[in-house]
Amino acid sequence: MTQSAFSLKTTVRSLQMIGLLGALLGSGQALASGYNFGTQSASNQGVANSGAAGMNDASVLFYNPAGLAQVEGTQVAGVLNYIMPDGKFSDTGSTNAAGRPIVGSNGGSFGVSTPVPHLYLSHQLNDRLTVGAGLFVPFGSHTDYSKDWVGRYNTTESSLSTFNFNPSLAYKVNEMLTIGAGVSVQYIDGKLAKQLDLGSSAARSALTAVCTPAPLSPQCTAVRAAAAQISSNTAYDGSSEVSGDDIGYGFNLGATINFSADTRMGIAYRSAIRHKLEGDAKFTVPQNFASSPLGPVLGGGIQAGLNAQLSNTKATLQVETPESFSINGFHQINEQWAVMADYTWTRHSRFEEIRIKLDGKADSVTPTNWNNTSRYSIGATYKASEKWLIRTGLAYDNAPENDANRIASIPDSDRIWVALGANYAISPSQSIDITAIYVDLAKAKVAQTDQNGATVRGNYDVSSITLGAQYNHRF
C-alpha cells in the first residue's frame, strides 16, 4: 500500500497543477484572437473596429483617449453586446495515458451565449481639454463542454471576466494635433472546472504494486483486466474547480492628427497589465474505489490515498494581459460617404508559459509559446438621411495559436469578421447604434497531451454572431 500511495502522490500532484492551467485565462473566444474580448463599442463594431479615427461618441475612449477631443459637450454612452458562439468539436482519436481510446462525447456546443455591458462618460472642460471615464470588458470568455466529453481531463468549463475602469483625458495641442492618456484599474476573475482520470491513476498504482514484482502471475493478469474496466471510466472520475481573482494597473496613450476637416489619423497604445491571481483549488473524489474491480487488490487504501492527496489548497497564478498598438485612419469622401481602416498589433508573445504555485508544492511550468497577432480592418459609412447612418466593415484577425500549440481550453484560430450596423438619431442630443458581427474561425486541429499523458485529438469548427446596441446622450 505504501508503493501505491507513492505512485498516486506523483499523479495527483500533476492533476492539481493541470487543474490550474488556463483557469483564469479564458477559452474558446469566438470573437477576437487570444482571450481579447474583441469589441467595446457598438458604433465601432458596425465597421469591424476600423473606425477609431472617426468616432464622435464617448466610447472612443477605449480605442484612443485623444479621440475624446472629438466628443462635444458632456456625453454618456451605454453599450450592451450579446455574444452567441457556436463551437463544435469532433474527436479523431483521443487517448488516455496508457494510449487507449477515451470513450466519451464530442462535448456538445461548448460556446456559452453571454451578455457583456460597457459604459462611457466624457466631459468637455474647455476648447482644449476633455476628460472621460470608461468601464468596459477588455478580456473575457466562457466555454462549457459536457462532463463526459473525450477531452474532459483537459477542461469541462472555463470562464474569464475582466472589468477595466479607465479615467482618461485629451488635450488639443493645436488644430492639427491632439494627445491623450489614461490609467486603468483592472479586475480579473476566473474559474476552471475539469474531470480527473482517477480510474487510470488507481489502475497504474495497482499495476505497479502487483505486476512489477510478478508480471506473469495470475494476480497480475486479474489486475490488468480490472484496470482496463476502470481506466478513463466516468464512474471513477474525480473533478477539480479552480477560481481566483486580482486587481492590476496599467495605462493607455494616444494621439490624433487632423490633416484636414475630412481626413484624420490616430495612433494608440494600451499597456500590459500584470496580475497575480489568488484563489482556491477544490477537488471531489468518488467514494467507490474500495468496491471497484481493483478493490480486492488495493482494498480501502486506494480510496484513503486519493482522499488525502486530493485535498483543497490555495493557488496563485501570474497573468499578464498583453499590450496592443493601433494605427487607424478616417476620410470623409463627401457628405454621404466615409471610409476608414485600422491595424492593431497585440503582443501575445508575452504568454510564453503558465507558472502555477500551490501551497507547499513546487512550481508547475507549462509552455504555451503564443505568437504576436495582427488585426486588419476596413469599413465604410453611408449617411442615408438626416436620421440614419449605415455602417459596414470587414476584418481579418490572426490567432496566437496554431496546430502545434493549440490547447482544448482555448481552441483559437485565424478568423474573418463581417460587420453591419446603423446609427439612428432620435433627437439632436440622443442616438442609438445597432450592429451585428459574424465571425468565422478557420477550421483547426488540436493534439494536446496533458502532464499525465492523456491526449485530446480532434477538429474544431467555431463561429459566432455578436449583436450590439448602444445609447448615446449629450447633455
Side-chain angles (χ1 to χ4, degrees):
M1 189 58 236
T2 303
Q3 189 175 11
S4 300
F6 177 78
S7 177
L8 276 174
K9 183 176 181 180
T10 302
T11 300
V12 171
R13 176 177 293 181
S14 297
L15 290 170
Q16 287 178 316
M17 299 295 186
I18 296 172
L20 246 59
L21 296 185
L24 307 172
L25 298 177
S27 63
Q29 182 53 265
L31 181 57
S33 64
Y35 47 91
N36 287 295
F37 175 67
T39 181
Q40 286 74 26
S41 163
S43 58
N44 203 22
Q45 182 183 341
V47 290
N49 283 353
S50 65
M55 295 174 68
N56 57 8
D57 64 71
S59 68
V60 71
L61 178 150
F62 173 82
Y63 302 96
N64 188 340
L68 286 170
Q70 300 291 128
V71 185
E72 299 178 349
T74 299
Q75 294 197 27
V76 63
V79 185
L80 180 64
N81 293 118
Y82 190 70
I83 308 172
M84 297 177 289
D86 181 19
K88 293 183 176 63
F89 170 86
S90 56
D91 181 45
T92 59
S94 299
T95 55
N96 63 17
R100 298 188 180 92
I102 296 176
V103 177
S105 72
N106 283 323
S109 183
F110 56 84
V112 177
S113 296
T114 307
V116 181
H118 317 272
L119 181 65
Y120 302 91
L121 174 68
S122 68
H123 177 63
Q124 189 176 29
L125 294 173
N126 53 49
D127 291 342
R128 288 185 177 270
L129 188 62
T130 303
V131 296
L135 181 64
F136 48 82
V137 176
F139 306 97
S141 64
H142 189 186
T143 58
D144 192 3
Y145 295 90
S146 59
K147 288 183 172 57
D148 67 341
W149 86 293
V150 294
R152 58 187 177 270
Y153 306 127
N154 294 83
T155 182
T156 52
E157 183 180 5
S158 180
S159 67
L160 170 76
S161 299
T162 60
F163 296 96
N164 191 312
F165 177 61
N166 190 187
S168 303
L169 60 84
Y171 179 72
K172 189 174 183 180
V173 179
N174 52 43
E175 291 303 314
M176 185 175 186
L177 176 66
T178 300
I179 56 176
V183 295
S184 287
V185 181
Q186 183 169 278
Y187 172 78
I188 185 170
D189 175 83
K191 181 186 78 171
L192 174 71
K194 60 175 289 182
Q195 300 299 96
L196 306 177
D197 191 2
L198 302 185
S200 290
S201 298
R204 285 194 296 270
S205 295
L207 290 169
T208 298
V210 175
C211 294
T212 298
L216 302 179
S217 67
Q219 189 181 24
C220 178
T221 301
V223 167
R224 290 185 190 279
Q229 294 181 52
I230 72 168
S231 292
S232 304
N233 185 332
T234 55
Y236 301 97
D237 281 353
S239 67
S240 69
E241 181 180 301
V242 183
S243 60
D245 60 3
D246 184 57
I247 295 176
Y249 305 91
F251 65 93
N252 59 313
L253 304 170
T256 59
I257 302 172
N258 295 322
F259 296 103
S260 70
D262 297 325
T263 306
R264 292 191 294 277
M265 184 184 81
I267 57 173
Y269 172 82
R270 186 168 286 277
S271 75
I273 298 180
R274 294 182 179 180
H275 289 281
K276 184 179 180 181
L277 290 85
E278 298 181 344
D280 301 300
K282 298 179 180 179
F283 302 91
T284 62
V285 179
Q287 301 299 302
N288 57 355
F289 282 95
S291 60
S292 74
L294 285 176
V297 179
L298 297 178
I302 186 69
Q303 187 73 66
L306 285 168
N307 292 343
Q309 293 295 327
L310 284 171
S311 57
N312 298 341
T313 187
K314 296 294 183 181
T316 61
L317 171 64
Q318 291 190 347
V319 174
E320 190 166 10
T321 57
E323 68 263 50
S324 61
F325 171 79
S326 300
I327 183 168
N328 37 67
F330 169 86
H331 178 64
Q332 188 75 43
I333 299 174
N334 53 43
E335 290 185 359
Q336 289 184 303
W337 285 97
V339 292
M340 55 220 67
D342 177 274
Y343 168 75
T344 295
W345 173 86
T346 303
R347 192 179 178 183
H348 282 301
S349 63
R350 284 188 177 275
F351 192 33
E352 296 178 349
E353 64 178 24
I354 303 171
R355 184 174 295 272
I356 304 157
K357 297 180 182 293
L358 296 173
D359 280 2
K361 301 185 183 297
D363 291 2
S364 172
V365 181
T366 300
T368 51
N369 298 316
W370 275 16
N371 303 308
N372 296 329
T373 64
S374 295
R375 186 190 67 214
Y376 309 86
S377 55
I378 56 174
T381 61
Y382 174 73
K383 191 170 181 60
S385 68
E386 289 300 315
K387 292 284 190 180
W388 285 99
L389 178 72
I390 308 302
R391 300 184 175 104
T392 188
L394 183 68
Y396 173 76
D397 193 5
N398 70 303
E401 293 180 330
N402 51 46
D403 288 352
N405 64 358
R406 188 169 291 109
I407 57 178
S409 60
I410 313 178
D412 197 13
S413 62
D414 298 348
R415 71 208 62 217
I416 293 175
W417 301 27
V418 180
L420 184 66
N423 174 271
Y424 177 72
I426 302 171
S427 70
S429 62
Q430 300 176 77
S431 70
I432 58 172
D433 297 284
I434 53 174
T435 187
I437 291 180
Y438 174 73
V439 180
D440 185 44
L441 278 70
K443 291 179 172 59
K445 297 180 180 180
V446 66
Q448 179 198 355
T449 301
D450 70 10
Q451 290 186 7
N452 290 307
T455 301
V456 54
R457 294 185 181 91
N459 298 319
Y460 280 101
D461 187 0
V462 181
S463 63
S464 75
I465 295 174
T466 298
L467 304 179
Q470 179 173 324
Y471 173 73
N472 311 292
H473 190 104
R474 185 173 72 243
F475 298 92

